[in-house]
Amino acid sequence: MKQCCINPSILSADFVNLAAELQRISTADAVHVDVMDNHFVPNLTIGLPVVQRIQAVSPVPLDAHLMIADADRWAPGFADAGLASVTFHAEASIAPVKLARELRTRGSKAGMALRPATPVEPYLDMLSELDMLLIMTVEPGFGGQAFLDITLPKIRRARAAIDGSGMGVAIQVDGGITEETIVRAAEAGANVFVAGSAVYGAEDPAAAIGRLREQGTRTLRPAAAE
Ligand code: DX5
Ligand code: ZN
């Protein structure tokens, strides 16, 4: 069975020592890079120039999570930087189909994120335009928040729609993922897991990645593992 993907979030890393912090998660599947603009979310992190430097030194592919307003204007630049995957928020895009196509044309995988209260149903017809659906399991903006169980039914509905259509869209969950909550998210149908504090808050991030991967893989639903 395919292993589940563990993408540590550098939001919980030491921003002064990013190069070294990236080396500590070299066994991860990708590094999750949270870009926040203080408009779409009430927090500010890093912009494209810093993301480009991370891209230059990272031992693993980049999975950018853009929590920024006016995604239609700014997201394509991240794909141009050669990132493996670029995820924009549905709530921040006026033309999500056009944007997803632009990301793919520029060579990135296209991801679209939904805040906890945003339903998946209005977007089911555009799943074929996406490589990944990110279902936020906390309100975006900060690391270290508690996992929202109210998002589990949405994960289940998204998994059922994806499996029913035979599409290979990944379901990523982000926020409050621990060795305990990863089991619930995987049972519901998620197969890509972002973990910030659970990885960087651990004494040994590589060991934490291993434990999360083991828990997630054990629970992964067969269809999600294909
Ligand atoms: C929150 C970010 C997450 C965050 C996750 O808005 O999108 O990626 O870093 O952190 P934890 O795993 O600590 O909830
Ligand atoms: Zn994130």
Side-chain angles (χ1 to χ4, degrees), residues 9 11 32-34 36 65 67 134 136 172 174-175 194:
S9 163
L11 191 59
H32 184 82
V33 179
D34 288 305
M36 306 185 188
H65 176 195
M67 285 160 276
L134 165 51
M136 289 302 298
Q172 184 179 69
D174 179 12
V194 175

Side-chain angles (χ1 to χ4, degrees), residues 7-13 32-36 41 43 65-67 89 134 136-147 172-178 194-201:
N7 298 4
S9 163
I10 51 155
L11 191 59
S12 301
H32 184 82
V33 179
D34 288 305
V35 176
M36 306 185 188
V41 287
N43 196 4
H65 176 195
L66 306 182
M67 285 160 276
H89 266 266
L134 165 51
M136 289 302 298
T137 44
V138 298
E139 286 290 358
F142 300 92
Q145 302 181 75
F147 183 86
Q172 184 179 69
V173 282
D174 179 12
I177 297 297
T178 63
V194 175
S197 39
V199 170
Y200 276 110

